[in-house]
Amino acid sequence: MLQPRIPVNPLPTGVPIPLTQSTSDIEPTAPAPAPVVPARAAVQLTPGSALALAAGGGAVVLVVGTVLVSMLLAVAITGVSIALIAVVLRLLVRDMQKGR
């Protein structure tokens, strides 16, 4: 029921047949040659560019670390503030219940 159906290719040779011509007019042609891919040039790092790359990577690590530490510090400060507010509110509610 849920088995995949694979279509069958009637012409596995890869030669397209135009629909406007009859099959008797078709001449066999050689397949087109594969395009030649030029060789890629290897990237060469000079000592100066390697040093610049290392310095740039170090700067990125420092900036990302600083941002993450500051976000963690902001969360910690917010948590401490909420805890202090909760203690103060608890004391106020207890004083109100005692009738002071």
Side-chain angles (χ1 to χ4, degrees):
M1 182 175 130
L2 296 175
Q3 294 177 349
R5 301 188 192 280
I6 302 172
V8 178
N9 188 3
L11 294 173
T13 59
V15 179
I17 298 176
L19 297 176
T20 57
Q21 296 179 351
S22 65
T23 56
S24 62
D25 295 340
I26 297 175
E27 298 177 9
T29 59
V36 178
V37 179
R40 292 184 180 177
V43 177
Q44 296 178 356
L45 290 176
T46 62
S49 63
L51 184 63
L53 186 63
V60 167
V61 167
L62 288 176
V63 168
V64 170
T66 303
V67 169
L68 290 177
V69 167
S70 63
M71 289 172 60
L72 181 64
L73 185 62
V75 169
I77 291 172
T78 304
V80 169
S81 300
I82 291 174
L84 287 175
I85 291 171
V87 168
V88 169
L89 285 176
R90 184 176 172 202
L91 290 173
L92 289 174
V93 168
R94 187 182 304 168
D95 284 343
M96 288 175 56
Q97 287 177 349
K98 287 185 178 179
R100 292 185 181 177

